[in-house]
Amino acid sequence: MKYLVVISFFLFTITHQGQNNTMPKDFVYLDDIDNTIQVELRYFGTNNFIGQKIDGYKNNCLLVTKKTALALKEVQKILSIKGLSLKIYDGYRPQQAVDHFVKWAKEVNDTLMKKQYYPKVPKSELFKRGYIASKSGHTRGSTVDLTIVDLTTNKELDMGSSYDFFGEASHPFYKDITKKQKDNRMYLREIMLLNGFIPYDNEWWHFTFNNEPYPKTYFNFSVE
């Protein structure tokens, strides 16, 4: 019996790893569902808190579960009537990218982007304060980081802090911002809630589809 348990565990491990490294059939390219939604994958380039391209991002294409993509399409329909559009910074994030974040966070002397992204937070405390973790909801495929763009000016609405800023200013209900910035945050929050997304308490840009199909599975296939 002992050997059967060991063999069964080994086979489960192999199967589980294979699933994690292969894109499921119900993941889609957002562009195939709605090609009007703007996409700027920050981790595909260097405009991010590390300052370099992140492991696992091989193309500027957004991958999410199909349920998430369809919900985002509904949000976009509402925004387009007002001359607005979603702009997405990140969707599905492979585990290798999260591992890249963790490795970087341990290199305390690498502070290239500190002034822009974490000016008041010691890099040594990024784990303690919850800004970096070994697991991310993004890796399950139903979480997105996004904002709203005014199509007339093609500029992002002022949300009172930049995307991926490590600090209290990024909390959705942060008080020390203007009324217009608060209104913009609340509009984004309300429209996402109405379409089945759950907001995150520490980041105004972060939303997870409520009925996510893989609530406990973390994938590792590349974005390409």
Side-chain angles (χ1 to χ4, degrees), residues 28-74:
V28 296
Y29 291 93
L30 180 63
D31 188 63
D32 290 338
I33 302 297
D34 191 326
N35 60 12
T36 69
I37 297 175
Q38 298 184 25
V39 173
E40 181 193 344
L41 293 189
R42 290 291 185 88
Y43 303 136
F44 177 64
T46 59
N47 183 17
N48 56 62
F49 63 88
I50 291 181
Q52 62 179 259
K53 187 176 178 180
I54 305 303
D55 293 348
Y57 287 85
K58 299 183 178 180
N59 202 349
N60 187 49
C61 55
L62 191 86
L63 289 166
V64 287
T65 58
K66 188 172 183 179
K67 288 182 177 181
T68 303
L70 292 173
L72 290 170
K73 182 175 182 177
E74 292 305 309

Side-chain angles (χ1 to χ4, degrees), residues 150-169:
D150 184 332
L151 292 175
T152 301
T153 62
N154 204 33
K155 292 183 178 180
E156 300 169 12
L157 299 189
D158 187 353
M159 297 291 180
S161 79
S162 60
Y163 167 62
D164 257 358
F165 181 79
F166 297 168
E168 291 185 8

Side-chain angles (χ1 to χ4, degrees), residues 2-224:
K2 178 180 179 181
Y3 295 110
L4 288 174
V5 171
V6 172
I7 291 171
S8 297
F9 177 76
F10 176 76
L11 290 174
F12 170 78
T13 301
I14 295 297
T15 302
H16 187 64
Q17 288 177 341
Q19 180 188 23
N20 283 357
N21 286 285
T22 303
M23 185 170 73
K25 292 181 180 179
D26 57 347
F27 269 65
V28 296
Y29 291 93
L30 180 63
D31 188 63
D32 290 338
I33 302 297
D34 191 326
N35 60 12
T36 69
I37 297 175
Q38 298 184 25
V39 173
E40 181 193 344
L41 293 189
R42 290 291 185 88
Y43 303 136
F44 177 64
T46 59
N47 183 17
N48 56 62
F49 63 88
I50 291 181
Q52 62 179 259
K53 187 176 178 180
I54 305 303
D55 293 348
Y57 287 85
K58 299 183 178 180
N59 202 349
N60 187 49
C61 55
L62 191 86
L63 289 166
V64 287
T65 58
K66 188 172 183 179
K67 288 182 177 181
T68 303
L70 292 173
L72 290 170
K73 182 175 182 177
E74 292 305 309
V75 175
Q76 184 74 346
K77 285 180 181 178
I78 297 170
L79 290 176
S80 64
I81 295 173
K82 299 185 177 184
L84 304 171
S85 171
L86 286 175
K87 181 175 184 178
I88 303 183
Y89 300 120
D90 198 29
Y92 161 70
R93 179 185 305 165
Q95 183 61 44
Q96 57 192 295
V98 178
D99 295 342
H100 190 164
F101 294 168
V102 171
K103 180 181 177 182
W104 166 82
K106 293 178 180 178
E107 298 171 351
V108 293
N109 293 323
D110 181 357
T111 55
L112 177 65
M113 305 300 285
K114 179 176 176 60
K115 183 178 180 180
Q116 182 176 346
Y117 287 96
Y118 52 106
K120 297 181 180 179
V121 181
K123 190 177 179 183
S124 60
E125 295 187 16
L126 292 180
F127 282 108
K128 181 180 179 181
R129 300 194 187 188
Y131 295 115
I132 301 293
S134 60
K135 293 291 184 182
S136 169
H138 282 274
T139 309
R140 303 193 299 261
S142 297
T143 294
V144 287
D145 293 339
L146 43 70
T147 191
I148 298 174
V149 171
D150 184 332
L151 292 175
T152 301
T153 62
N154 204 33
K155 292 183 178 180
E156 300 169 12
L157 299 189
D158 187 353
M159 297 291 180
S161 79
S162 60
Y163 167 62
D164 257 358
F165 181 79
F166 297 168
E168 291 185 8
S170 292
H171 295 185
F173 296 100
Y174 182 65
K175 295 182 179 180
D176 195 18
I177 54 178
T178 68
K179 182 180 183 304
K180 183 62 175 177
Q181 292 166 339
K182 291 177 183 176
D183 289 345
N184 289 340
R185 288 187 181 194
M186 290 305 102
Y187 180 58
L188 175 62
R189 185 183 182 91
E190 288 167 9
I191 197 172
M192 295 299 287
L193 280 166
L194 284 171
N195 287 278
F197 288 89
I198 301 171
Y200 177 48
D201 289 342
N202 295 330
E203 298 170 348
W204 58 258
W205 57 79
H206 180 116
F207 297 88
T208 299
F209 187 61
N210 184 38
N211 191 24
E212 59 177 316
Y214 299 101
K216 296 181 180 180
T217 305
Y218 296 84
F219 295 97
N220 196 31
F221 56 89
S222 296
V223 176
E224 58 182 324

